Amino acid sequence: MDYKYIEQLLERYWRCETSLQEEEILRMFFLQENIPANLQPYRHLFTYEQNEKTVNVLGDDFDQKILGMVEEDEPVKARVITMRQRLMPLFKAAAVVAIILTLGNAVQVAVSDGDAQHAVPSTAAMDKPHEGPSVAKADSVQNDTLQHKLQVPVSTLMK
């Protein structure tokens, strides 16, 4: 038997040039029992649709099951969320920051106690004013550039 027409249809099928009627001819040909060996690899391609129609058929009750699952109404469980519950993540974050700062201060104190021999005097002792009304006021009067330009005695400006 000459299968040239089928082979021509297959060539046109691979180039996407066949019509629906020609594709149906190919399907009908591959449903036959006697197919040449060189065309056997293409058999499953054209018989797949026929085989799947019989294998994967949904039951008649499938639609009823799906509609039953969709239509089931479960009550919505509303929860009241208090302000405390809403702010709980912020409280936790603040606690973590406090712990980190506390541990940092503890490490700093431990390190600075070990370096007590090399410690610089605290700035609080330096900031204490010496005797007199104000050391800063006296310093600013001496360093004022305006007074040097005007050449006016300080005693007249202080009155």
Side-chain angles (χ1 to χ4, degrees), residues 15-63:
R15 290 184 303 217
C16 301
E17 296 175 353
T18 55
S19 65
L20 292 176
Q21 291 82 13
E22 292 170 335
E23 289 178 16
E24 187 62 33
I25 292 171
L26 286 172
R27 279 191 208 96
M28 296 306 287
F29 172 77
F30 284 107
L31 284 175
Q32 297 175 5
E33 293 295 323
N34 298 331
I35 297 175
N38 65 339
L39 298 177
Q40 280 292 335
Y42 307 121
R43 180 179 200 152
H44 295 294
L45 177 69
F46 291 100
T47 60
Y48 177 77
E49 186 177 328
Q50 292 293 330
N51 294 338
E52 285 300 310
K53 284 183 181 176
T54 59
V55 173
N56 290 333
V57 176
L58 298 176
D60 295 332
D61 61 341
F62 177 75
D63 289 336

Side-chain angles (χ1 to χ4, degrees), residues 125-142:
M126 295 173 143
D127 291 341
K128 291 183 183 176
H130 300 291
E131 293 182 25
S134 172
V135 176
K137 186 175 180 182
D139 286 345
S140 64
V141 170
Q142 292 174 358

Side-chain angles (χ1 to χ4, degrees), residues 45 73 86 107 137:
L45 177 69
D73 292 331
R86 279 191 182 174
V107 169
K137 186 175 180 182

Side-chain angles (χ1 to χ4, degrees), residues 83-101:
M83 187 61 73
R84 180 178 181 202
Q85 289 173 331
R86 279 191 182 174
L87 295 177
M88 189 57 69
L90 294 176
F91 294 154
K92 290 179 181 179
V96 168
V97 169
I99 289 171
I100 290 172
L101 289 177

